[in-house]
Amino acid sequence: MKTLKKIGAFMITGLFVMSCAPVIKSNGNNGLPPGQVKKINGEKSARNYAPGHRK
């Protein structure tokens, strides 16, 4: 019974740790900042590659 309580406590602790982990969202630029994508594509403005500036 003691081992069952230890396993349960370990699993609950693991769930708490996993639920607090940050979620990293990709911006679709393969991890590159907007300015670097602009340079690669040869454009004058990085607005098209910045998140929140999709028009």
Side-chain angles (χ1 to χ4, degrees):
M1 200 65 178
K2 277 186 174 182
T3 56
L4 187 59
K5 286 184 181 179
K6 287 182 181 179
I7 292 172
F10 181 74
M11 289 183 73
I12 289 173
T13 304
L15 286 173
F16 281 131
V17 169
M18 293 300 288
S19 68
C20 294
V23 177
I24 300 173
K25 221 169 76 171
S26 174
N27 58 4
N29 295 336
N30 295 326
L32 295 172
Q36 294 298 319
V37 178
K38 172 195 74 136
K39 286 180 186 177
I40 291 170
N41 291 333
E43 299 213 12
K44 293 186 181 222
S45 175
R47 180 192 300 178
N48 297 331
Y49 306 103
H53 289 279
R54 306 271 184 214
K55 288 189 175 182

